[in-house]
């Protein structure tokens, strides 16, 4: 039979604490219900093989608390280094991609601006001023392309770092949570058996 904790309390196995203000009541109820159900199933399994109900309750509570603690520790331990590595790799890739995209945008912008300036000068002066304007296209293009490459590299680097950190961190956190939960559950069941 699942154990129902006091209102505004989070209970996961042997671990019991007041509900933090930032944790919604609905999520607290879900955590409590799922943990209590898992604990009840473990208790039933131990009872079915002849372990006394009192002892199987202690083992189940320790197993659930250990699994939750291990999952949390494993997730954080794996996620932080993976997020750093993913962020660095993402920044490198994003900087390169951003620089290329910025260069393409810069070339296009410089060509359009230079051509528009030459056409405007030709129309305004009957073609006489178009020659210096056309000569200025490479100068304008160089500045525009350089600015666009720099801006693209910065934007790409920041975006790549963020995406790399989140992607690698989340994947590692999931793996760390699984491994930590298994280890914590095993340790919790051993501690629970000894109590």
């Amino acid at each position: 039979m699942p154990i129902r904790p006091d209102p505004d309390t989070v209970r996961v196995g042997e671990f019991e604490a007041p509900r933090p203000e930032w944790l919604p009541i609905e999520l607290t109820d879900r955590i409590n219900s799922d943990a209590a159900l898992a604990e009840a199933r473990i208790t039933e399994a131990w009872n079915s093989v002849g372990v006394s109900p009192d002892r199987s309750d202690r083992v189940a509570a320790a197993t659930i608390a250990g699994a939750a603690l291990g999952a949390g520790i494993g997730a954080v331990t794996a996620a932080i280094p993976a997020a750093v590595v993913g962020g660095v790799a993402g920044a490198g890739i994003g900087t390169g991609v951003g620089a290329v995209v910025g260069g393409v945008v810069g070339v296009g912008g410089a060509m359009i601006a230079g051509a528009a300036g030459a056409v405007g000068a030709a129309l305004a002066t009957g073609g006489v001023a178009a020659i210096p304007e056309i000569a200025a296209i490479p100068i304008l293009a160089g500045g525009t392309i350089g600015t666009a490459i720099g801006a693209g590299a910065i934007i790409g680097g920041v975006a790549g770092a963020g995406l790399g950190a989140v992607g690698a961190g989340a994947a590692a956190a999931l793996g760390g949570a699984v491994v930590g939960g298994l280890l914590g559950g095993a340790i919790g069941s051993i501690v629970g058996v000894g109590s």
Side-chain angles (χ1 to χ4, degrees), residues 92-195:
I93 293 168
T95 299
V97 170
V100 169
V101 171
V104 169
V105 169
V107 168
M111 293 177 85
I112 291 169
V119 169
L123 291 174
T125 62
V128 175
I131 293 174
E133 194 64 38
I134 292 171
I137 290 175
I139 297 167
L140 176 66
T144 304
I145 294 168
T147 302
I149 289 173
I154 291 169
I155 293 168
V158 170
L163 292 172
V166 169
L174 179 61
V178 169
V179 171
L182 291 172
L183 291 174
I187 292 168
S189 70
I190 292 168
V191 169
V193 170
S195 60

Side-chain angles (χ1 to χ4, degrees), residues 29-107:
D29 290 342
R30 180 63 188 230
I31 291 168
N32 288 337
S33 296
D34 289 349
L37 183 61
E39 186 177 340
R41 297 291 184 245
I42 293 171
T43 299
E44 289 171 5
W46 283 113
N47 287 341
S48 72
V49 294
V51 175
S52 72
D54 183 50
R55 187 173 184 96
S56 62
D57 285 343
R58 287 193 317 266
V59 171
T63 300
I64 295 299
L69 181 63
I73 291 170
V76 170
T77 302
I80 291 172
V84 170
V85 170
V88 169
I93 293 168
T95 299
V97 170
V100 169
V101 171
V104 169
V105 169
V107 168

